[in-house]
Amino acid sequence: MSTRVAVMHRHLAALDPVQLDIVDESHKHAGHAGAREGGGHYALRIVSAQFGGNNMMARHRMIYSALGEMMKREIHALNIQAYTPDEI
């Protein structure tokens, strides 16, 4: 696990996930403008009871908030799958 992915795991722990998978897909985007500036491309699958009662946009905002400053530089693209335990 890369250092950046480990930091993402720590930040997302605030959402108390029962499942958290992060895949670094940056290698697929070599030469892309965001990649040249240092931002990575990631696929995220997260399952948390905290998402209950929230639509997809609200869940994404919760994730962006948990990742905080990482969204400004370290993360260029984030493919999100966010579920409650009842939805999996």
Side-chain angles (χ1 to χ4, degrees):
M1 175 183 322
S2 73
T3 302
R4 192 175 289 170
V5 170
V7 172
M8 291 171 70
H9 271 270
R10 285 196 300 273
H11 284 287
L12 292 168
L15 297 174
D16 201 23
V18 296
Q19 180 183 349
L20 177 58
D21 300 307
I22 303 170
V23 177
D24 185 344
E25 297 182 335
S26 300
H27 64 281
K28 296 179 182 179
H29 304 277
H32 182 272
R36 282 193 303 269
E37 295 170 8
H41 290 243
Y42 301 91
L44 168 67
R45 179 180 168 90
I46 182 170
V47 180
S48 173
Q50 291 187 29
F51 295 141
N54 291 293
N55 64 24
M56 180 182 64
M57 291 305 296
R59 294 174 187 194
H60 286 210
R61 282 191 297 270
M62 292 168 71
I63 291 164
Y64 298 148
S65 178
L67 291 170
E69 292 293 314
M70 292 190 81
M71 292 302 300
K72 294 181 181 178
R73 279 205 197 282
E74 289 93 354
I75 301 170
H76 175 72
L78 187 60
N79 177 351
I80 299 172
Q81 295 179 332
Y83 305 101
T84 66
D86 294 336
E87 295 172 332
I88 57 171

